[in-house]
Amino acid sequence: MSGTPSSELHCTVLSRRETMTSTKLVFLFSVAVISLGTVRTAEADLPHVEISNWAIRFGAQMWEIGKQVTRIREIKERYQSEAKIEQVDGFAMVKEMAEEMENMMGDKIEAIKRIMDAAEQLSVSHPRLSRQDLYEMRQRAETIEYYNAKRLNMYHKSGPKAGELLDNHKELIMSNSQHFGNVGVNTSVSAVHVPTNVFDGGPDVMNGILWSEQLDRIFMTNYESDPSLTWQYFGSSTGFMRQYPATKWGQGEWEPDLFDCRLRPWYLQAAASPKDMIILVDTSGSMTGVRKEIAKHVVLTLLDTLSENDFINIYKFSEVPVPVVPCFKDKLVQANLENVRELRNGMMESETSDIANFTSAFTTAFEILAKYNRTTQGSQCNQAIMLVTDGAPVGYREIFEKYNWPHKPVRVFTYVIGREIIDTAATNWMACANKGYFARVTSLAEVREQVLKYIPVLSRPMVMYQKDHPVIWTSAYIDIAEPKLSDWLWEIRERRKQRDRSLNYRALLRLISERNNAQSDDTSNVTGNNTRDASGRPTISMTVEQYLTYGNLVNEERLNAHRIKQEREEAANPANNQQHNRQGTRTKPKFLMAISVATPVYDRKNFSVRTANLLGVAGTDIPVTELKKRTPAYKLGVNGYSFIVNNNGFVLHHPDHRPLDADGLLKPNYNTVDLSEVELVDSDGGPRENDTYLMTMRREMIERREGETSFKVRVHHDGMRRVSVRRQRYYYRGLKGTPYSLGLALPDGYGHFRVVAETEVKRLMADHNINVSSFFSGKNWKIHPDWIYCRYNYDHLKSFDSPEAQVMHFVDRTQRERWRWNSKHPRPSHDSARSHKQDDNFYCDKHLMQSLIFDAQATEVFDKNISLSIDRQDPGLGMLMALLARHAMFKLFGISVAFVATRSGLLRWQDISTIDDKHFSEANLNAIDQTWYKRAVDQYSVEPDSFVYSVPFSTGTGITNESVVTASHAIFVEKGGYKAPAAVVGLQYKNSAFRETFFNITSGCTGGVQCRRTCSSGDLSCYVVDNHGYIVISKEERDTGRFFGEIDWLVMDSLIHYGVFKRVRIYDYQAVCKDMQGHRSAANFILTPLRYMKWFVQWMVGRATWLILQTQIAHLMNPDWAWAMEQEQADYHNEDNDESPGPTPTGGEFMADGDISIIVHDEAVTMDNAYANKTRPRPCDQQADLYVLQPEKLFKGDKPDSVKGKQNCNSNNLGARQCERHYSTHKIPHSNLLLLVIDTTCRCETQKQKIEMEEVRVNESLFCERPQENLYRLRPSVCLSYHPEEEEIKQCGKGSLQLPSLLLMTTTMIYSILKAI
């Protein structure tokens, strides 16, 4: 057995029905010899018959309780009598859903084309204001009025101007819109965003803002005709972006505004065709100090301009060119987030030395690009070399003649670093002679603007063709977030972690000091095993590290309570939080996933010289949630799902796509998750082993073919703590006019059948005169919050306090005489009068609404608090419970809530008490998406008459509130040999009541016989374990919710060995690993006079430099120097922490901490404890072994059977008394549980093993393969990289001979030198 010496553990399955082979007899004989004759028979050790009776009685009693409380029989009879079973045609379904998406996407293309046409015309017809005109306007104190998105609705918070608008700000009336992500918008106007590094008073920017204001009427017309449109925008090549509708820019007070529309995926992909790029970075001896820093930022900004359709590599060169990432030598890699991150990290460390060998560098770059062009690899479109240097001695004409002339397939862009460089003739010639562009970068402030000049050059062929406006579609990405912002947020998180740890360190010192000063008799009776102190406060035992990390929130239950408190505080103060509660608008996720469709906009003005200018890009967003609406979950059924794949094999959406980590931050590779990383094929292979069926489906979806396939997959639940293995059938089809394919996954069996039961409102009213609104009486019901039942197409037509109020509004409308269903998603209509007419401007899903009404009628009995009619076929307990009123049963059996959830998203419940801080209905709104719903449906095929039981993980550590046991059961309709799920019923028990019921049964024997050994006696350990190995009931309440292997791995390993549990390895290919960055220990703070002097000089120079930059003194001396400073938040520091803690304090005794008592283990508490180890995230693969019960191993035919085993103890010490520890395992009927009883008379050493995700370790050669796996991809269909007349365009940049700022150079150099000391 894995991890266990064979001499320590010998387990034998003892079955009355089996005869042993001679081999087994020999093995048993050897075990007996080792046991030295002290072995007793298994039957004598454990009361196996009684254990079996306990399991049967407990299972039967809980089944009867659940069956009566949840009204299983009444609800099932209603569905069985009136519902039909319909077989699902997967091909027809995927075709219907794909056509819906194609129509919606086609409408968006038409909308952006209208924006594009209008923009090209307006830019030509608008009279241009010159620099002189703008100067004269400023002299006359005239201003150009427009809505700046960063200067809206901001007021003075204090002082004499409190409540007044800030200077240069405007006020704009806004109203929250659910359609636009629950933010305030004004649909009458657009707003303009100008990047931090762009001067909004420049002529090009101001002229663009002026003429683009007239795009508002196009924006409004588009939205009025197509209510499904979200954000529309025009991104200018000058940097500003006009966005409709107007909204206030969303960054917080201390968050940097890093947004620049020219660096967004939709702009970059629309502005130029895909490209292969090699960046050559000069690291010769002259590239030091400020030059080196500027060069690094040039490269990092170039990386920001790449998309997943581009290919990239970076070489540093002095004597010889060297790739910044050794794994990428002689290659181009796809510019996805993961590869770009590797290149970024490679640029962080670079040494400068020797003389630059340009010949070797250019030769390497040209040969790599030629190889990829020749072998049809890479983008097969644009190719470019980006040279970053401080100057070149000659033009190296012979290199270009050899590799690039006469056709010039490779463009050369040169970036000369440094203001003091005067001779730029060679680098200028390189760019101009090779269809590129020359740029001089003299400061960090210029980097972005100078780098972005290469994009209009790549767009020239496209602009010169004029008539071709390629339409591009992006991958899914976060709305306004950037990888840089995610890194910044991670840094803020790390600093907060250090702050909290410092505060906890001080609190711990205070607690220890108070304990030392207290009277000893106050705490002498408290030990680590107590649950309450002398004052009645609950106690927690923890390590010093746990306290420093979590404080008195170390307990998971307390952490959850703390989070709930924070959520309530945020909901009570919506002004400081963009999220809103259920009674207002729906909660807005922190990040919104979307795709964009965009097209380039050309400058059609006539110039005196030949030119081809890109005016900008027009586009619109499509939230991923909008795509999901075209694949309604109720049509896909429980455990069915849809997904979309693009031309690179990356998923736009998938139920296992997890873009955020546990802390709510973006993962490093959040939008480049491949289909093969979310569909986990069930196989015995290792990580990332490609399955033939999956790879075939992936290739056909990339090629947008129609197809079907089937294979077994592993599906994880509950944060990768549980796993299910099932066969799924896949149907897929390409989406015309896009690079996407839609796929549907349906479970084999029940996944291909649907319950069809609908109530026709008009017929019901005519035949029975019933008001269908009566089916929704009371307040104990809710609907799925994300499903579209009926809605008005525009928010302003009518607002509702909740989704339930919206549904009831339309239920009432369905009963009116002239009601008609608008069951088609809205399409563009240019009838403005009709578009604002409330009566007609709505959408209703007829089938979903009528199914909801039927379900409400079928489950109406669930709300009745009456006793049930006696079922004469249910003797005993069932008959007695049928006589009880429902609330009486709740109290008698410790039930907190009973519920039913249906296929139409309806949730009903009844409760008599609230255990959790968050009510059951708030935490379980999502009907068929809930884990308990999915598991109940899967359990039906294992045991139809059963409940699935589960407890929260680590329930046993809770101290503030009592936990619950959730039980759920699926109701299937069976007709004509087919069956399909209609609903799931369930209930929640108080954990204490559930345990009490179990121990009442297992504390005695059947027939009133006195038992010598029961679960209440001290020599038996009894566990109720679920079908994934988690403890539901234990003698020790703290074990509840834990994996059984954490308690006794040897017994668990034995059950795995004999097939009771099956080990299933799960992989997480979207994991984030945290690399430690270390911390500064107290030893680093040996304070000498020299160190004090160094700190003082650094502070003085730093403050002087900051003053120069903030007051723009440098700008006065040299107008070209302008630097947008980003304020850096310092690590948390407190003077008290620098004091010596004195004698090393220790824990080990009781200490009062608020409403709880802390028992810190006896450990030294030193200054080093106050420092947190900082981490940096990186993408990685992780794995874990999960376990699934094999119920057939616990049955003999149709009858339950048991598995019994024994463990030899002390077998390594022949001088010690030898004994055996026996265990017996029995299936608990009508459940997913098993009863495990262990004889503890013989004390054995135990091993423990947790279920934890661990990184998949690979050797360096395999690591080099991972970032650039050669998975199949399809290039974009359009490539415009050549125009025969482009050589006539002569604009290729020119240098500047401006003198450097001596003051700024001097202060920067001094500060850099001191920083390096």
Side-chain angles (χ1 to χ4, degrees):
M1 284 165 241
S2 61
T4 306
S6 59
S7 59
E8 290 183 19
L9 179 62
H10 302 277
C11 295
T12 307
V13 175
L14 306 177
S15 175
R16 294 184 296 270
R17 66 181 186 273
E18 293 186 84
T19 61
M20 298 185 180
T21 63
S22 58
T23 303
K24 291 181 179 177
L25 289 173
V26 171
F27 174 72
L28 287 177
F29 177 75
S30 65
V31 171
V33 171
I34 294 174
S35 300
L36 299 179
T38 62
V39 179
R40 298 172 295 177
T41 64
E43 292 293 337
D45 286 340
L46 290 173
H48 294 287
V49 175
E50 288 304 328
I51 293 173
S52 178
N53 290 336
W54 292 340
I56 293 171
R57 288 176 57 199
F58 181 64
Q61 179 167 327
M62 303 317 295
W63 168 248
E64 290 297 334
I65 293 171
K67 189 168 62 171
Q68 296 294 337
V69 169
T70 58
R71 311 283 203 255
I72 289 177
R73 183 169 59 85
E74 290 80 359
I75 295 174
K76 184 168 185 176
E77 285 176 354
R78 181 62 187 269
Y79 279 104
Q80 192 67 37
S81 62
E82 299 187 31
K84 298 184 296 183
I85 299 292
E86 188 177 86
Q87 191 166 4
V88 174
D89 184 338
F91 276 119
M93 181 183 290
V94 75
K95 179 182 179 182
E96 175 189 350
M97 293 178 175
E99 288 175 348
E100 279 279 355
M101 283 192 182
E102 290 167 357
N103 290 337
M104 182 266 292
M105 291 175 168
D107 296 340
K108 305 303 176 283
I109 292 175
E110 293 303 314
I112 65 169
K113 285 184 175 180
R114 285 191 287 272
I115 299 171
M116 175 265 297
D117 287 336
E120 291 183 348
Q121 294 173 15
L122 289 169
S123 68
V124 173
S125 60
H126 177 77
R128 178 178 174 82
L129 295 176
S130 65
R131 187 182 300 272
Q132 182 65 28
D133 294 332
L134 294 173
Y135 173 76
E136 292 175 357
M137 289 178 63
R138 284 194 293 269
Q139 292 297 106
R140 296 192 300 268
E142 296 178 8
T143 58
I144 297 176
E145 299 292 332
Y146 71 97
Y147 290 107
N148 188 321
K150 294 191 288 186
R151 299 175 186 169
L152 289 177
N153 299 350
M154 295 185 68
Y155 305 89
H156 290 280
K157 296 181 180 179
S158 59
K161 293 186 177 181
E164 296 182 15
L165 275 172
L166 296 178
D167 295 339
N168 299 321
H169 283 62
K170 285 195 169 191
E171 189 172 44
L172 184 63
I173 298 175
M174 299 182 186
S175 58
N176 274 13
S177 170
Q178 180 181 346
H179 180 66
F180 290 100
N182 293 328
V183 297
V185 299
N186 186 311
T187 56
S188 299
V189 294
S190 61
V192 174
H193 174 272
V194 183
T196 303
N197 61 296
V198 173
F199 175 48
D200 61 357
D204 291 338
V205 176
M206 286 308 306
N207 278 283
I209 290 175
L210 281 172
W211 68 253
S212 65
E213 186 176 9
Q214 298 179 60
L215 290 175
D216 283 3
R217 59 184 177 83
I218 305 298
F219 292 145
M220 293 173 64
T221 301
N222 283 342
Y223 180 52
E224 288 173 356
S225 64
D226 182 2
S228 67
L229 269 173
T230 56
W231 304 105
Q232 304 173 67
Y233 39 80
F234 167 75
S236 170
S237 60
T238 60
F240 77 86
M241 181 182 74
R242 183 172 290 279
Q243 176 177 273
Y244 174 89
T247 187
K248 182 179 176 181
W249 202 249
Q251 86 273 5
E253 185 176 359
W254 296 106
E255 293 181 14
D257 178 22
L258 303 178
F259 184 86
D260 189 324
C261 68
R262 296 168 297 177
L263 295 176
R264 303 309 292 148
W266 51 268
Y267 187 98
L268 294 168
Q269 293 183 43
S273 296
K275 52 193 170 290
D276 298 336
M277 179 187 291
I278 291 183
I279 303 173
L280 300 178
V281 187
D282 183 352
T283 56
S284 62
S286 59
M287 290 288 288
T288 58
V290 177
R291 292 186 194 177
K292 178 180 175 182
E293 195 66 21
I294 295 175
K296 182 176 74 173
H297 280 78
V298 167
V299 174
L300 297 182
T301 306
L302 282 169
L303 292 177
D304 289 339
T305 66
L306 303 176
S307 72
E308 66 190 42
N309 291 320
D310 301 324
F311 287 77
I312 178 67
N313 204 347
I314 304 174
Y315 275 80
K316 299 180 292 187
F317 72 95
S318 53
E319 284 292 334
V320 293
V322 179
V324 297
V325 178
C327 290
F328 297 166
K329 185 177 181 181
D330 297 330
K331 296 177 181 178
L332 292 174
V333 295
Q334 189 177 14
N336 56 45
L337 286 181
E338 187 170 345
N339 289 336
V340 168
R341 192 180 189 86
E342 291 290 328
L343 293 167
R344 281 179 173 274
N345 293 337
M347 280 300 300
M348 291 301 105
E349 298 293 336
S350 61
E351 298 294 331
T352 56
S353 63
D354 301 326
I355 299 174
N357 186 341
F358 287 89
T359 300
S360 177
F362 275 122
T363 299
T364 300
F366 276 118
E367 289 181 350
I368 292 174
L369 292 172
K371 180 181 72 173
Y372 272 73
N373 191 29
R374 186 173 59 252
T375 58
T376 67
Q377 300 179 70
S379 69
Q380 292 295 296
C381 196
N382 287 298
Q383 290 193 322
I385 295 174
M386 325 300 282
L387 176 64
V388 183
T389 181
D390 60 351
V394 294
Y396 299 96
R397 184 185 186 93
E398 66 279 4
I399 297 294
F400 300 113
E401 288 179 343
K402 179 178 179 181
Y403 290 102
N404 205 38
W405 293 356
H407 302 296
K408 302 179 183 178
V410 179
R411 298 175 187 267
V412 177
F413 296 86
T414 55
Y415 297 90
V416 173
I417 309 300
R419 184 183 301 274
E420 68 281 4
I421 306 300
I422 298 177
D423 184 8
T424 60
T427 48
N428 196 350
W429 176 86
M430 290 179 190
C432 294
N434 292 278
K435 296 197 300 185
Y437 200 89
F438 165 86
R440 178 197 291 271
V441 189
T442 62
S443 69
L444 288 172
E446 294 180 338
V447 169
R448 181 180 291 181
E449 287 304 308
Q450 295 298 333
V451 166
L452 289 173
K453 288 180 179 179
Y454 90 88
I455 293 178
V457 176
L458 290 184
S459 70
R460 284 174 180 172
M462 182 170 59
V463 176
M464 294 179 75
Y465 282 111
Q466 289 290 309
K467 293 184 179 180
D468 292 323
H469 287 78
V471 174
I472 65 94
W473 296 86
T474 69
S475 289
Y477 64 96
I478 298 299
D479 49 2
I480 63 170
E482 300 187 25
K484 290 184 295 184
L485 180 59
S486 185
D487 291 341
W488 183 82
L489 291 173
W490 184 276
E491 182 65 24
I492 294 299
R493 170 194 171 278
E494 290 296 295
R495 291 172 178 173
R496 286 175 180 166
K497 184 173 70 173
Q498 176 63 70
R499 178 200 62 192
D500 293 342
R501 189 179 183 91
S502 299
L503 293 175
N504 290 336
Y505 171 75
R506 297 178 63 198
L508 183 58
L509 292 183
R510 176 181 54 80
L511 292 176
I512 293 173
S513 176
E514 292 174 355
R515 181 206 63 190
N516 292 338
N517 295 331
Q519 296 293 328
S520 59
D521 57 352
D522 290 340
T523 59
S524 58
N525 63 334
V526 180
T527 67
N529 294 325
N530 291 117
T531 58
R532 300 271 171 181
D533 67 8
S535 302
R537 286 175 297 204
T539 65
I540 298 179
S541 178
M542 65 182 73
T543 64
V544 168
E545 179 63 27
Q546 286 177 317
Y547 188 87
L548 292 175
T549 304
Y550 301 107
N552 64 9
L553 297 176
V554 66
N555 173 266
E556 182 175 348
E557 193 75 20
R558 293 176 66 83
L559 278 170
N560 291 335
H562 180 65
R563 293 190 188 103
I564 292 171
K565 180 181 177 182
Q566 286 182 325
E567 289 174 2
R568 288 175 177 173
E569 289 175 351
E570 290 172 351
N573 188 14
N576 296 329
N577 181 28
Q578 291 185 356
Q579 300 185 8
H580 303 273
N581 60 22
R582 182 181 172 85
Q583 278 64 44
T585 50
R586 284 294 183 197
T587 299
K588 175 182 180 291
K590 184 176 181 181
F591 297 113
L592 175 67
M593 293 288 289
I595 62 172
S596 295
V597 54
T599 192
V601 180
Y602 306 147
D603 188 348
R604 296 185 179 275
K605 292 191 291 289
N606 294 320
F607 293 91
S608 57
V609 296
R610 186 65 186 268
T611 187
N613 295 331
L614 179 72
L615 206 60
V617 172
T620 185
D621 289 346
I622 304 176
V624 168
T625 53
E626 192 68 27
L627 300 177
K628 293 179 181 178
K629 291 174 185 176
R630 266 58 182 186
T631 58
Y634 79 93
K635 291 185 178 180
L636 299 172
V638 60
N639 288 318
Y641 56 87
S642 65
F643 57 96
I644 298 179
V645 175
N646 72 359
N647 60 298
N648 287 297
F650 300 148
V651 294
L652 273 62
H653 81 82
H654 188 283
D656 192 33
H657 181 208
R658 292 166 278 120
L660 305 182
D661 66 10
D663 297 311
L665 299 180
L666 277 178
K667 293 181 179 179
N669 57 340
Y670 78 95
N671 72 341
T672 54
V673 177
D674 194 83
L675 179 64
S676 61
E677 296 175 327
V678 290
E679 291 292 336
L680 306 180
V681 179
D682 181 42
S683 69
D684 297 327
R688 294 191 178 274
E689 289 198 4
N690 296 330
D691 178 81
T692 302
Y693 291 103
L694 174 60
M695 289 296 108
T696 300
M697 179 180 75
R698 180 184 179 277
R699 185 184 185 100
E700 291 184 348
M701 291 189 72
I702 288 173
E703 295 175 347
R704 299 190 291 282
R705 298 184 190 176
E706 186 177 54
E708 173 191 11
T709 189
S710 174
F711 47 84
K712 291 179 72 175
V713 293
R714 299 173 181 176
V715 182
H716 59 83
H717 313 281
D718 290 334
M720 290 196 163
R721 290 185 176 96
R722 305 182 193 275
V723 64
S724 301
V725 179
R726 62 169 172 260
R727 179 170 291 277
Q728 295 188 154
R729 187 161 293 277
Y730 296 85
Y731 305 90
Y732 44 91
R733 176 188 175 96
L735 300 177
K736 296 177 182 178
T738 76
Y740 309 137
S741 280
L742 171 66
L744 305 181
L746 304 178
D748 263 3
Y750 67 81
H752 285 76
F753 299 94
R754 296 287 178 271
V755 171
V756 179
E758 300 180 13
T759 296
E760 295 187 18
V761 178
K762 294 291 182 64
R763 179 175 297 179
L764 186 66
M765 292 178 60
D767 295 346
H768 303 285
N769 194 27
I770 295 177
N771 183 352
V772 297
S773 299
S774 64
F775 303 151
F776 298 92
S777 60
K779 297 182 178 179
N780 285 8
W781 65 275
K782 290 187 186 296
I783 58 172
H784 197 297
D786 300 325
W787 290 6
I788 303 300
Y789 296 85
C790 288
R791 68 175 182 187
Y792 287 104
N793 292 328
Y794 296 96
D795 292 342
H796 66 269
L797 294 179
K798 191 171 183 62
S799 60
F800 301 92
D801 292 336
S802 67
E804 292 73 37
Q806 188 174 38
V807 162
M808 287 307 302
H809 169 81
F810 281 99
V811 167
D812 291 339
R813 286 196 62 179
T814 60
Q815 301 175 78
R816 299 177 187 175
E817 289 185 5
R818 297 184 178 180
W819 167 259
R820 64 181 181 83
W821 296 95
N822 288 343
S823 294
K824 294 290 186 181
H825 284 283
R827 297 294 304 278
S829 169
H830 297 283
D831 183 356
S832 59
R834 178 180 175 274
S835 66
H836 288 284
K837 188 178 179 182
Q838 178 173 322
D839 290 343
D840 296 334
N841 209 329
F842 65 88
Y843 163 77
C844 264
D845 190 320
K846 178 180 179 181
H847 296 295
L848 181 57
M849 278 290 286
Q850 292 190 158
S851 297
L852 176 68
I853 294 171
F854 178 90
D855 289 351
Q857 186 179 13
T859 59
E860 196 177 15
V861 66
F862 199 81
D863 281 340
K864 311 293 185 187
N865 185 29
I866 56 174
S867 58
L868 303 178
S869 59
I870 299 176
D871 186 349
R872 299 297 179 184
Q873 296 180 351
D874 286 344
L877 182 64
M879 294 181 62
L880 293 176
M881 287 192 298
L883 298 174
L884 292 173
R886 198 178 199 188
H887 280 183
M889 283 191 286
F890 275 42
K891 294 178 180 179
L892 180 62
F893 299 111
I895 298 169
S896 62
V897 63
F899 56 88
V900 57
T902 71
R903 69 212 160 97
S904 64
L906 176 66
L907 174 70
R908 289 188 186 273
W909 72 90
Q910 269 205 354
D911 57 354
I912 59 173
S913 65
T914 301
I915 291 180
D916 297 319
D917 291 291
K918 196 171 186 179
H919 190 267
F920 172 85
S921 63
E922 293 296 329
N924 294 272
L925 283 172
N926 294 339
I928 68 174
D929 298 328
Q930 299 293 153
T931 300
W932 48 259
Y933 197 114
K934 295 179 177 183
R935 293 183 66 199
V937 171
D938 281 339
Q939 174 72 11
Y940 189 87
S941 61
V942 177
E943 190 175 3
D945 293 337
S946 66
F947 279 91
V948 173
Y949 296 87
S950 63
V951 295
F953 299 106
S954 300
T955 293
T957 62
I959 65 168
T960 55
N961 293 309
E962 184 174 6
S963 61
V964 295
V965 179
T966 302
S968 56
H969 167 80
I971 293 178
F972 272 65
V973 176
E974 301 185 26
K975 289 189 175 181
Y978 302 128
K979 56 186 178 182
V984 167
V985 296
L987 64 162
Q988 286 188 337
Y989 298 90
K990 297 178 183 178
N991 192 38
S992 58
F994 197 71
R995 286 167 47 83
E996 183 180 359
T997 302
F998 171 77
F999 284 109
N1000 284 342
I1001 292 174
T1002 59
S1003 296
C1005 294
T1006 55
V1009 178
Q1010 195 69 21
C1011 291
R1012 185 175 64 87
R1013 311 179 75 191
T1014 67
C1015 287
S1016 297
S1017 60
D1019 55 357
L1020 289 184
S1021 288
C1022 297
Y1023 300 92
V1024 174
V1025 181
D1026 73 9
N1027 57 324
H1028 295 286
Y1030 293 97
I1031 298 171
V1032 177
I1033 298 176
S1034 169
K1035 275 187 180 180
E1036 300 292 338
E1037 190 171 354
R1038 64 174 178 267
D1039 294 339
T1040 307
R1042 297 171 66 187
F1043 175 56
F1044 181 72
E1046 296 181 44
I1047 309 303
D1048 195 327
W1049 172 247
L1050 296 180
V1051 173
M1052 184 67 191
D1053 195 39
S1054 174
L1055 294 174
I1056 297 167
H1057 179 76
Y1058 288 109
V1060 178
F1061 282 95
K1062 179 182 179 182
R1063 180 185 284 109
V1064 179
R1065 178 160 292 180
I1066 197 81
Y1067 294 100
D1068 183 4
Y1069 299 126
Q1070 304 172 61
V1072 175
C1073 294
K1074 300 175 183 178
D1075 291 331
M1076 292 294 181
Q1077 300 295 307
H1079 68 270
R1080 297 186 299 175
S1081 69
N1084 292 331
F1085 289 90
I1086 302 174
L1087 303 181
T1088 65
L1090 182 60
R1091 185 175 293 272
Y1092 275 120
M1093 185 176 297
K1094 172 193 168 186
W1095 286 353
F1096 175 74
V1097 174
Q1098 279 186 342
W1099 180 85
M1100 287 293 294
V1101 174
R1103 286 297 169 182
T1105 305
W1106 179 87
L1107 182 64
I1108 291 171
L1109 296 172
Q1110 294 298 317
T1111 59
Q1112 300 187 16
I1113 293 175
H1115 179 67
L1116 297 177
M1117 297 180 181
N1118 191 333
D1120 288 335
W1121 182 274
W1123 196 338
M1125 285 289 289
E1126 178 181 323
Q1127 183 169 351
E1128 183 175 336
Q1129 180 179 343
D1131 289 347
Y1132 182 83
H1133 177 76
N1134 190 292
E1135 294 299 332
D1136 292 346
N1137 287 342
D1138 290 337
E1139 297 177 2
S1140 173
T1144 301
T1146 59
E1149 297 180 11
F1150 156 79
M1151 297 175 290
D1153 188 6
D1155 62 339
I1156 64 172
S1157 298
I1158 303 297
I1159 303 174
V1160 178
H1161 297 172
D1162 195 10
E1163 302 174 45
V1165 183
T1166 66
M1167 186 66 184
D1168 280 343
N1169 293 122
Y1171 294 97
N1173 285 320
K1174 289 189 175 181
T1175 60
R1176 297 300 301 170
R1178 63 175 171 83
C1180 64
D1181 294 347
Q1182 292 184 343
Q1183 64 184 21
D1185 287 334
L1186 305 180
Y1187 303 92
V1188 180
L1189 180 67
Q1190 307 299 297
E1192 65 276 6
K1193 296 292 183 179
L1194 297 170
F1195 280 84
K1196 181 181 180 180
D1198 294 334
K1199 296 182 179 180
D1201 200 1
S1202 60
V1203 171
K1204 305 142 193 171
K1206 62 183 178 181
Q1207 174 188 352
N1208 283 353
C1209 301
N1210 302 320
S1211 57
N1212 283 337
N1213 187 357
L1214 296 179
R1217 175 180 174 271
Q1218 302 296 306
C1219 62
E1220 292 178 335
R1221 185 174 65 161
H1222 295 261
Y1223 69 84
S1224 182
T1225 306
H1226 299 257
K1227 176 74 170 63
I1228 297 177
H1230 305 295
S1231 76
N1232 65 320
L1233 307 175
L1234 64 132
L1235 174 60
L1236 175 59
V1237 179
I1238 303 174
D1239 184 353
T1240 58
T1241 305
C1242 180
R1243 299 296 179 184
C1244 288
E1245 294 183 3
T1246 60
Q1247 297 182 9
K1248 298 181 180 181
Q1249 181 168 311
K1250 293 183 178 181
I1251 290 181
E1252 293 180 328
M1253 299 298 294
E1254 59 182 22
E1255 185 174 0
V1256 178
R1257 298 292 180 181
V1258 295
N1259 60 44
E1260 189 168 346
S1261 61
L1262 292 177
F1263 175 79
C1264 282
E1265 292 296 324
R1266 182 177 178 272
Q1268 50 191 351
E1269 289 176 309
N1270 294 319
L1271 294 175
Y1272 178 74
R1273 62 180 295 274
L1274 197 64
R1275 300 181 188 91
S1277 58
V1278 177
C1279 171
L1280 296 174
S1281 60
Y1282 172 78
H1283 192 281
E1285 300 176 7
E1286 186 183 351
E1287 293 279 2
E1288 299 177 13
I1289 299 176
K1290 301 303 180 182
Q1291 296 94 336
C1292 58
K1294 59 182 179 180
S1296 170
L1297 297 179
Q1298 293 168 328
L1299 296 176
S1301 169
L1302 181 60
L1303 174 61
L1304 196 56
M1305 284 183 58
T1306 303
T1307 53
T1308 304
M1309 289 178 63
I1310 294 174
Y1311 184 74
S1312 300
I1313 293 170
L1314 289 170
K1315 195 76 174 176
I1317 296 178

